[in-house]
Amino acid sequence: MSTTLVTDIGLLVTGAYGEPPRRDTTLVLEDGRVAAIGADLPHPDQVIDAAGLTVIPGLVDGHVHPTFGEWTPAQNAIGWVRNYLHGGTTTMVSAGELHVPGLPFDDLTPELVTSLALTAKYTTGRVRPSGVKAHCGTLLLVPGLTEGDFDRLAEHGIGQLKFIFYDWNRLGDGEAQRYVAWARERGMVVKQHSGGVSRSGSSKVAGYDVVSAVGPDVVAHISGGPIPMPDEEIRQVIGELGDAAIEVCSSMNYRATIQTIEALRATGGLHRLTLGTDTPGGTGVIPRGMLRNVCFLASVCGLDPNDAVAAATGNTARLHGLDTGVIDVGRPADLVFLGPVTGSAATDGLESFALGDLPGISMVLVDGVPLVTGRSEQTPPARRPALITHAAG
């Protein structure tokens, strides 16, 4: 059993929606999981001095488009996952491996999409690129899939499904609704592209009428990916699909995002808010995308920064069926140590977000293992660095 004691945490943000942050505390980690909060530990294998920084859960990017490994043809870039890790992202959820060169968007068959999902699951999804928990192998839902296909994919651990290229002209035949029912019976999560067409030009427009008829678990990039549905339809979806997660992405329309947050707040639905970057893609490769999302929500949309962090961590993990995103006993020790950069008026990480100031990341742990130390390569340094020391004897 390996043990770590994290000392001098200035502010601990747990990522659980509605749970207040804790000041001046400690963490005990055992075998990659949180064993205790606010406790001491004699003779740990290592000690991490948090240097008064803010500790939050590793960010959970609920909307990425991986291809193979760390290569993305969408931007002809290599190494993007490592860069996102340095931006604080420790978990990613694929919204479809749809940038594979030559993929025939207008002629996707059940055989092709199931094969693509399984290939992604057993390649990129198997190796944890740069140590990041990449949940790959999202099934692109197309007409003609059978319940047997769902059984087979569930047996292989495929847990995420996506409507994006489905022909909504056949919405009335009930097939899409059967897919949602089959998925829920098997513990799968169904995400639905919403709004106008995406970069490919082949995705199908989905406003309130389509989204409400399908009833997905997650309404993808409701405020733009990159084009949202009209404001009134956003409010209808939020008000009438009370159980659906509402996703906001870096590909957002900023004005529509303000409308989205106002509608969620008015309906008491901020616990439904999830975040993603919708990258790599036309939006680019943005390692600090999740941090920028939190900054925008807290500084422009008026969201409490503690709730904005929860949206980027615990909410997104919970609403995608994952066990990450929350700092609690028994949970994975995926942690980000961050704080104000020199020149910021903020005194801690939450104040940085509230001001719209990008915080500096000093350290990132995944399953208790330090993968980023000293400082991030993608943010300015925090005023003080977290330090690792090995316990004597």
Side-chain angles (χ1 to χ4, degrees), residues 65 67 71-77 99 199 279-282 284-285:
H65 289 295
T67 301
W71 170 61
T72 168
Q75 292 292 333
N76 195 25
H99 294 154
R199 183 181 70 101
T279 62
V285 172

Side-chain angles (χ1 to χ4, degrees), residues 194-212:
S194 74
V197 298
S198 61
R199 183 181 70 101
S200 70
S202 297
S203 59
K204 308 302 180 184
V205 175
Y208 165 76
D209 289 344
V210 171
V211 172
S212 62

